[in-house]
């Protein structure tokens, strides 16, 4: 039946249950949202009305919450007389509905019915539950802005793959993407750059038109609500203290104003960055900066109900702090040893601030440097080492090592690969990724909340490039995050490839511009645009 991700247990019987015009839905308490989703998606694809029906009628899809199951677990039974989806919670019922959609075939992923199509479900029983509670996708909309409709589309694609955490990378040197009422210049100034580097930062090519955009507060509310209907949690990222040039361009007093930087050419004001890499312009460690970002986070907490708030914390170049009398005075006042401890103090401030408001801080693994903030969780991106250290210290971890699940890295060594970045990470490489390091004891491993694939968009100028880099590898990642697979070397990649034949047809029906197994189509190539390929196998740590 070619399901992706693979379910935990499946038993197939002979025969089918055919869906006729009378086929309807009985939605038990807590399943109303899933019933609404089924009518909107399967109703559009099949042309069936899927009306409300009672349990004693024939030809019914019964949706119910069964508390005895784990929260995201489900049981799907297709019998001759009807269909049952039971979930341990409304989320479990929804994941069962996603499996039901796959059982109907690739055309169930279309937006309108094809003529002459009949719909039937194979008689089967499936018992399933996820391996990890955090099955994430990070999308960078700061480097290249993705309009709201594109974000909603990616939430649908995540739901189709049973992913449940959307890490929303909203701010960086190259753009600020979220409206903050208290600080209007963040979008008036910080959301636009004058031009954009095309390709890797060493490329001589430029796109000379302005680039930008932002999400209004109502856009964010809509995105969060749309995600919640699909049982996806949106975790916002507001980067501090590095990756902040767009904010400093809007409010110069946030920067290290007592340091003259080479980034300010000819004495002109600092602008939103137009190239890639790591900007030397970082936030000043002042009380004014703390109060400013407290104001930002107050509005972020109002818009995002998530347990975790991501504060970045990565790649903060400290040259300005070393040169800044203000920063050096703060180090002395706090009794710190160096700039690493100054960053730890900065992150620790917001850890305490978020904790006091019932939230939890999460940041990239650089927040380990200078002392890990109490109560903070870690996104381990520079390999496994940061996650191992954090788990051993009793901190929760999301495993997202660059060398394994950065989907901006190239998929093949061929010359036709568009703007090749990083190591070759094939579909099989992602399928053999293991989120839990073998070095961890069982108690330490319990701190691994799950795993996440990251999509950085420096060289992805539109949604078709994002599609190309993300798919089909996100399908392999989704199976790693959901299914209980064997050890990496023992995994049945041949079987996964066989199931992908049907899954490519699902992606076609959804309009996903994925990388074909045979290589990029002509319109997917970017000849002459410089990338940054790295040869050889990636380090495993």
């Amino acid at each position: 039946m070619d399901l992706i991700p693979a379910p935990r247990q499946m038993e197939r019987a002979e025969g089918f249950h055919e869906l006729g015009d009378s086929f309807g839905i009985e939605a038990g308490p807590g399943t109303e949202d899933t019933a609404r989703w089924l009518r909107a998606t399967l109703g559009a694809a099949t042309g069936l009305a899927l009306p409300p029906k009672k349990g004693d009628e024939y030809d019914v899809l019964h949706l119910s919450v069964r508390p005895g199951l784990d929260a995201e677990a489900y049981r799907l039974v297709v019998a001759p007389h009807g269909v049952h989806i039971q979930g341990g919670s409304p989320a479990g019922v929804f994941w069962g509905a996603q499996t039901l959609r796959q059982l109907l075939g690739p055309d169930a992923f279309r937006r309108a019915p094809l003529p002459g199509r009949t719909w039937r479900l194979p008689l089967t029983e499936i018992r399933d539950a996820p391996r990890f509670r955090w099955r994430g996708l990070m999308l960078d909309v700061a480097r290249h802005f993705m309009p709201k409709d594109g974000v909603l589309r990616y939430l649908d694609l995540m739901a189709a793959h049973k992913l449940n955490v959307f890490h929303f990378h909203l701010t960086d040197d190259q753009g600020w993407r979220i409206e903050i009422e208290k600080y209007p210049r963040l979008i008036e100034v910080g959301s636009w750059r004058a031009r954009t580097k095309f390709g890797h930062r060493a490329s001589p090519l430029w796109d000379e038109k302005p680039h930008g955009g932002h999400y209004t507060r109502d856009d964010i509310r809509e995105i969060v609500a749309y995600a919640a209907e699909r049982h996806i949690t949106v975790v916002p990222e507001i980067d501090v203290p590095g990756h902040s040039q767009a904010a400093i361009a809007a409010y110069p007093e946030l920067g290290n104003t007592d340091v003259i930087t080479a980034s300010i050419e000819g004495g002109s004001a600092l602008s939103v960055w137009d190239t890639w890499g790591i900007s030397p312009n970082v936030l000043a460690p002042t009380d004014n900066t703390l109060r400013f970002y407290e104001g930002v986070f107050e509005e972020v907490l109002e818009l995002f109900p998530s347990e975790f708030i991501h504060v970045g914390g990565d790649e903060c170049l400290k040259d300005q702090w070393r040169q800044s009398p203000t920063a050096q005075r703060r180090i002395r006042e706090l009794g710190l040893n160096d700039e690493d401890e100054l960053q730890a103090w900065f992150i620790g401030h917001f850890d305490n601030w978020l904790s006091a408001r019932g939230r939890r801080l999460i940041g990239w693994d650089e927040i380990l440097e200078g002392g890990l903030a109490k109560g903070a969780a870690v996104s381990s991106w520079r390999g496994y080492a940061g996650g191992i250290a954090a788990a051993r210290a009793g901190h929760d971890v999301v495993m997202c090592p660059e060398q394994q699940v950065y989907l901006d890295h190239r998929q093949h060594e061929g010359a036709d690969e568009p703007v090749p970045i990083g190591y070759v990470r094939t579909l099989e490489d992602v399928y053999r990724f293991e989120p839990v390091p073998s070095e961890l004891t069982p108690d330490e491993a319990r701190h691994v909340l799950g795993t996440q694939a990251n999509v950085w968009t420096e060289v992805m100028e539109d949604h078709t490039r994002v599609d190309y880099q993300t798919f089909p590898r996100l399908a392999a990642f989704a199976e790693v995050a959901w299914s209980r697979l064997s050890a990496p070397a023992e995994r049945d990649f041949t079987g996964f490839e066989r199931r992908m034949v049907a899954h490519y047809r699902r992606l076609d029906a959804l309009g996903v511009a994925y990388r074909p197994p045979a290589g990029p189509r002509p319109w997917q190539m970017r000849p002459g645009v410089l990338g940054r390929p790295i040869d050889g196998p990636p380090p495993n740590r």
Side-chain angles (χ1 to χ4, degrees), residues 96-119:
Q98 293 291 347
T99 299
L100 179 77
R101 188 187 191 191
Q102 289 198 17
L103 291 175
L104 284 169
D107 287 341
F109 290 78
R110 297 189 179 277
R111 296 186 182 180
L114 299 181
R117 183 75 163 80
T118 59
W119 301 95

Side-chain angles (χ1 to χ4, degrees), residues 208-492:
E208 295 290 348
K209 66 178 182 291
H211 177 87
H214 74 276
Y215 308 102
T216 67
R217 290 167 59 86
D218 282 343
D219 289 339
I220 295 293
R221 292 186 181 102
E222 180 181 357
I223 288 167
V224 170
Y226 195 85
E229 289 176 350
R230 288 147 183 80
H231 300 277
I232 296 171
T233 299
V234 183
V235 174
E237 180 179 353
I238 305 296
D239 243 314
V240 296
H243 287 290
S244 298
Q245 184 165 323
I248 298 169
Y251 291 92
E253 64 271 21
L254 297 175
N256 295 280
T257 55
D258 54 356
V259 177
I260 299 174
T261 75
S263 299
I264 305 178
E265 298 175 1
S268 62
L270 190 69
S271 61
V272 177
W273 218 23
D274 58 11
T275 189
W276 317 125
I278 307 173
S279 170
N281 293 288
V282 302
L283 297 175
T286 63
D287 290 342
N288 175 68
T289 300
L290 298 180
R291 300 292 88 76
F292 182 98
Y293 272 88
E294 286 172 2
V296 169
F297 282 118
E298 283 173 358
E299 296 192 28
V300 167
L301 296 191
E302 177 190 339
L303 294 169
F304 295 93
S306 56
E307 174 187 4
F308 288 97
I309 303 295
H310 209 292
V311 301
D314 63 314
E315 297 179 327
C316 178
L317 299 181
K318 300 179 176 67
D319 292 344
Q320 288 187 346
W321 287 356
R322 294 185 184 97
Q323 300 168 21
S324 164
T326 301
Q328 292 302 309
R329 184 165 56 250
R330 173 124 278 183
I331 289 173
R332 292 192 298 272
E333 290 170 353
L334 295 170
L336 305 177
N337 289 320
D338 55 23
E339 291 75 20
D340 285 343
E341 290 190 5
L342 183 61
Q343 176 170 339
W345 165 82
F346 196 107
I347 297 297
H349 173 86
F350 287 104
D351 178 48
N352 293 329
W353 190 91
L354 290 168
S355 295
R357 288 154 182 80
R359 305 297 185 95
R360 293 184 65 188
L361 179 146
I362 186 169
W364 303 110
D365 56 53
E366 283 93 333
I367 67 173
L368 291 162
E369 298 167 1
L372 184 61
K374 182 180 178 182
V378 169
S379 299
S380 187
W381 77 273
R382 293 181 298 178
Y384 290 93
I388 292 170
R392 286 176 172 167
H395 294 270
D396 289 337
V397 177
V398 176
M399 284 294 185
C400 49
E402 173 187 19
Q403 303 88 343
Q404 312 299 329
V405 288
Y406 267 36
L407 300 186
D408 49 306
H409 282 210
R410 58 191 173 135
Q411 304 181 64
H412 193 272
E413 71 274 6
D416 291 335
E417 213 60 33
V419 200
I421 298 295
Y423 296 102
V424 173
R425 292 286 83 191
T426 65
L427 183 67
E428 181 173 0
D429 291 329
V430 174
Y431 191 68
R432 298 193 188 281
F433 163 60
E434 172 49 50
V436 180
S438 59
E439 295 94 326
L440 296 180
T441 67
D443 285 343
E444 292 166 348
R446 279 191 270 276
H447 285 290
V448 179
L449 300 177
T451 184
Q452 180 173 290
N454 294 341
V455 182
W456 301 102
T457 62
E458 286 94 334
V459 299
M460 301 179 211
E461 70 276 10
D462 57 34
H463 81 274
T464 63
R465 281 286 291 123
V466 175
D467 280 4
Y468 179 92
Q469 293 298 135
T470 305
F471 290 97
R473 292 182 295 181
L474 192 68
F477 173 80
E479 186 148 309
V480 169
W482 177 277
S483 306
R484 292 189 178 273
L485 301 177
S486 55
E490 300 167 5
R491 292 177 188 171
D492 182 12

Side-chain angles (χ1 to χ4, degrees), residues 137-150:
L137 174 69
M138 190 227 68
L139 182 62
D140 167 21
V141 297
R143 273 50 176 270
H144 278 100
F145 179 66
M146 180 177 284
K148 180 191 68 178
D149 284 352

Side-chain angles (χ1 to χ4, degrees), residues 65-101:
V65 174
R66 181 182 170 188
L69 297 172
D70 290 342
E72 289 190 279
Y74 68 89
R75 179 173 177 256
L76 168 60
V77 178
V78 181
H81 59 278
V83 184
H84 297 260
I85 299 177
Q86 299 173 330
S89 70
V93 176
F94 182 72
W95 303 132
Q98 293 291 347
T99 299
L100 179 77
R101 188 187 191 191

